[in-house]
Amino acid sequence: KVAECCVCYTSDITTSSVYNAEYYTNLAKELCDAGAHTIAIKDMAGLMKPSGVVPILNAIRAGAGDDIPIHFHTHCTSSASLAVAMEMTRQGCDIIDFAIASMADLTSQPSLNAFCAAMAGMPRDPKINYLALEPLDVYWMKVREMYAPFETGMLSGSARVYDHEIPGGQYANLFVQCKSMGLGDRWEEVLDAYRDVNQLFGDIVKVTPSSKCVGDLALFLINKNLKAFDILDPEKTKNIDYPDSVVGLFEGRLGFPHRGFPDEVTSAILQGKPKLTIRPSSALPPADFTKTQIELSDKYGVQLDDERVMAALLYPKVFDDYMNFCATNTAAAAFLPTPIFWYSFSIGQTATISKLPSEIAQKELGSTLESEEITLTLKRVGPLKAGRMRTIVFQVNDKEQHVEVKNPAAEGEFDGPMADTSNPNHLPSPMPGMVDKCHIEVGQSVVAGQELFIVSALKMEVKVRAPRDGKIDKLYVEARDKLVEGALMAVIS
């Protein structure tokens, strides 16, 4: 067994007073004392410059010794990372991560193809013919085309990453999150807000999940037309419920930065809530796999294997969303060809599902089709009817099936009632997104500050609380409903 521990490269080792050579030396020594066999430099935002290579390697070797293997991982957001990788190679770095050319650059890793070609004839030439990589490059280029909607929207690298420091893995998610909240045309403001929130927090290490906390607050503030340092002005932020991720960060649920958080910001975010005084995971009870498996199997009505139980324990909300998706769309959807799954059928198009697992076939189709192919052909899409309904006609093997579906609303369209801002009894949605949880029912009495709903936009969650004591007269939304900012959620008398 090999224990590889990583240091997260933050800011610029040549100029930062927080993340300087002394910081990395001390951290490397702690990791080696804890038993690390190798040390990785995780440059999650691609902030490393060629000028920082020698200082970071010297700092780690000063703390861990000259013999420990060093592994470098970076992102190419700035377009400078190939130069950094080559300098790392020249200075004796042992392992460097790359991506095949068609999946490389932008917020991904530097190109392996380009690296192999550029290193030819040099002292540490990896001796891999870059042309031998071309079949892999072509294959992954075709795969990438299928997932085009999930691209970041970047057409080129940007040195601006040295200013905002958004990790490569977060950049795409943040951009999609921004668009889902109707803030796509304010992306430049989001980049500035991310930088300012990071500075407000004290310049923290931004890596999953701490980077998400910075991004959540940046989007939250932009949506409310606030600046980062407005958080310190009680008049501008009264009656604001910050995203759960941000509150959790300052409570210490992700641990604490080595220099702590600024006291003034902590007070503003927590608003009197207590901080943890111990390592967050140390208070967690041991996981009971058998009990969890029984409970979840009963909840979802299907026997869950060990892999799914583990997924549910690690990512309970994501797993619940997955199981709800399977219940709504059938688990067989996961076995559709990728282009059909993402882009649907065109009229007359046929797709084949091969060897649907017997347990899924039994549950979804009432028969075991483990070795039988299912052929689906879209024959006809009916006209739009009342309530945005359509009849879709499929040929499933040798049988015709008619399915009634609701035509999706246009992007950003909302056909529910909006809250009247002049009516104190109306409870509006604080942001665009989806109702993740509804904790109330009509006729229920509530007290000021009571949590009524959780609204989420992708992975950002905001709690909606009762503005005062009262009773729920009407409910206009339920779990999984989509909302726009200002949508009427409930009436409180």
Side-chain angles (χ1 to χ4, degrees), residues 90-144:
R90 283 192 286 267
Q91 299 303 328
C93 183
D94 301 282
I95 307 164
I96 301 177
D97 292 346
F98 294 95
I100 204 73
S102 53
M103 303 290 279
D105 300 327
L106 300 180
T107 58
S108 181
Q109 283 69 55
S111 166
L112 175 61
N113 307 50
F115 177 77
C116 292
M119 289 296 295
M122 298 183 73
R124 298 193 74 194
D125 179 356
K127 300 189 183 303
I128 298 174
N129 184 347
Y130 70 93
L131 290 174
L133 300 173
E134 288 303 298
L136 292 172
D137 187 29
V138 171
Y139 171 80
W140 286 108
M141 177 177 62
K142 293 177 180 177
V143 171
R144 183 171 178 173

Side-chain angles (χ1 to χ4, degrees), residues 309-345:
V309 172
M310 180 67 76
L313 286 168
L314 291 173
Y315 304 103
K317 184 180 183 305
V318 175
F319 183 78
D320 186 60
D321 288 345
Y322 165 74
M323 293 302 290
N324 286 329
F325 173 87
C326 289
T328 303
N329 300 279
T330 86
F335 295 86
L336 286 169
T338 299
I340 296 293
F341 182 90
W342 290 124
Y343 305 107
S344 191
F345 290 85

Side-chain angles (χ1 to χ4, degrees), residues 425 427 438-447 450 452-453 466-476 489-493:
N425 294 337
L427 185 68
C438 174
H439 300 300
I440 52 175
E441 56 187 27
V442 173
Q444 181 178 335
S445 295
V446 297
V447 297
Q450 180 179 335
L452 308 181
F453 303 94
R468 54 181 172 76
D469 296 352
K471 186 177 74 173
I472 304 298
D473 277 353
K474 290 184 179 180
L475 270 178
Y476 288 90
M489 302 187 74
V491 175
I492 304 176
S493 63

Side-chain angles (χ1 to χ4, degrees), residues 273-474:
K273 295 184 181 73
K275 292 190 295 185
L276 292 177
T277 57
I278 56 174
R279 182 170 55 86
S281 59
S282 64
L284 290 175
D288 187 331
F289 289 91
T290 302
K291 180 181 177 183
T292 302
Q293 186 173 43
I294 293 171
E295 290 175 349
L296 292 178
S297 296
D298 289 344
K299 177 180 178 180
Y300 297 114
V302 60
Q303 184 64 31
L304 298 183
D305 57 20
D306 291 345
E307 184 178 352
R308 290 190 178 189
V309 172
M310 180 67 76
L313 286 168
L314 291 173
Y315 304 103
K317 184 180 183 305
V318 175
F319 183 78
D320 186 60
D321 288 345
Y322 165 74
M323 293 302 290
N324 286 329
F325 173 87
C326 289
T328 303
N329 300 279
T330 86
F335 295 86
L336 286 169
T338 299
I340 296 293
F341 182 90
W342 290 124
Y343 305 107
S344 191
F345 290 85
S346 56
I347 302 295
Q349 187 175 1
T350 297
T352 301
I353 300 176
S354 302
K355 296 186 178 180
L356 192 67
S358 58
E359 67 274 13
I360 292 177
Q362 182 66 45
K363 177 176 172 55
E364 306 293 351
L365 306 175
S367 63
T368 55
L369 298 172
E370 188 170 14
S371 60
E372 181 181 340
E373 286 190 343
I374 303 172
T375 302
L376 307 170
T377 303
L378 176 60
K379 296 185 67 178
R380 187 166 64 257
V381 176
L384 194 62
K385 299 182 290 189
R388 297 212 315 262
M389 300 301 292
R390 289 185 189 272
T391 300
I392 312 295
V393 182
F394 286 95
Q395 185 80 19
V396 182
N397 288 346
D398 58 349
K399 296 181 180 179
E400 187 172 279
Q401 292 190 9
H402 293 231
V403 182
E404 294 292 315
V405 299
K406 189 168 187 177
N407 210 57
E411 183 83 19
E413 181 181 323
F414 177 72
D415 54 10
M418 299 296 291
D420 181 351
T421 55
S422 66
N423 188 337
N425 294 337
H426 281 197
L427 185 68
S429 172
M431 66 177 189
M434 184 180 73
V435 180
D436 192 49
K437 291 181 181 177
C438 174
H439 300 300
I440 52 175
E441 56 187 27
V442 173
Q444 181 178 335
S445 295
V446 297
V447 297
Q450 180 179 335
E451 183 180 314
L452 308 181
F453 303 94
I454 295 179
V455 176
S456 64
L458 291 182
K459 297 179 181 179
M460 180 171 71
E461 296 183 348
V462 174
K463 293 175 180 175
V464 181
R465 302 179 185 275
R468 54 181 172 76
D469 296 352
K471 186 177 74 173
I472 304 298
D473 277 353
K474 290 184 179 180

Side-chain angles (χ1 to χ4, degrees), residues 97-349:
D97 292 346
F98 294 95
I100 204 73
S102 53
M103 303 290 279
D105 300 327
L106 300 180
T107 58
S108 181
Q109 283 69 55
S111 166
L112 175 61
N113 307 50
F115 177 77
C116 292
M119 289 296 295
M122 298 183 73
R124 298 193 74 194
D125 179 356
K127 300 189 183 303
I128 298 174
N129 184 347
Y130 70 93
L131 290 174
L133 300 173
E134 288 303 298
L136 292 172
D137 187 29
V138 171
Y139 171 80
W140 286 108
M141 177 177 62
K142 293 177 180 177
V143 171
R144 183 171 178 173
E145 288 175 354
M146 299 181 193
Y147 295 88
F150 301 96
E151 296 281 353
T152 62
M154 291 180 70
L155 299 178
S156 65
S158 171
R160 190 174 179 176
V161 69
Y162 297 124
D163 178 58
H164 56 65
E165 300 185 2
I166 298 175
Q170 184 189 18
Y171 197 100
N173 291 334
L174 190 66
F175 186 66
V176 173
Q177 197 175 7
C178 179
K179 290 197 295 184
S180 76
M181 295 178 66
L183 301 174
D185 59 344
R186 302 179 69 182
W187 179 239
E188 301 298 313
E189 293 177 63
V190 172
L191 298 181
D192 287 341
Y194 191 101
R195 173 202 63 211
D196 295 343
V197 168
N198 175 52
Q199 293 304 315
L200 181 76
F201 286 1
D203 190 11
I204 64 173
V205 172
K206 295 168 292 301
V207 65
T208 305
S210 61
S211 56
K212 175 183 178 300
C213 304
V214 178
D216 282 354
L217 187 57
L219 288 174
F220 183 80
L221 293 174
I222 291 292
N223 193 51
K224 293 190 173 296
N225 293 310
L226 294 171
K227 300 291 186 182
F229 286 87
D230 286 341
I231 284 176
L232 304 179
D233 184 343
E235 285 302 311
K236 292 183 178 180
T237 57
K238 60 183 177 182
N239 300 322
I240 281 184
D241 281 318
Y242 293 104
D244 276 3
S245 62
V246 178
V247 176
L249 175 70
F250 279 83
E251 285 177 332
R253 299 195 180 280
L254 306 184
F256 289 99
H258 68 294
R259 294 192 178 186
F261 292 113
D263 291 338
E264 194 175 8
V265 180
T266 300
S267 298
I269 295 291
L270 293 185
Q271 300 175 10
K273 295 184 181 73
K275 292 190 295 185
L276 292 177
T277 57
I278 56 174
R279 182 170 55 86
S281 59
S282 64
L284 290 175
D288 187 331
F289 289 91
T290 302
K291 180 181 177 183
T292 302
Q293 186 173 43
I294 293 171
E295 290 175 349
L296 292 178
S297 296
D298 289 344
K299 177 180 178 180
Y300 297 114
V302 60
Q303 184 64 31
L304 298 183
D305 57 20
D306 291 345
E307 184 178 352
R308 290 190 178 189
V309 172
M310 180 67 76
L313 286 168
L314 291 173
Y315 304 103
K317 184 180 183 305
V318 175
F319 183 78
D320 186 60
D321 288 345
Y322 165 74
M323 293 302 290
N324 286 329
F325 173 87
C326 289
T328 303
N329 300 279
T330 86
F335 295 86
L336 286 169
T338 299
I340 296 293
F341 182 90
W342 290 124
Y343 305 107
S344 191
F345 290 85
S346 56
I347 302 295
Q349 187 175 1

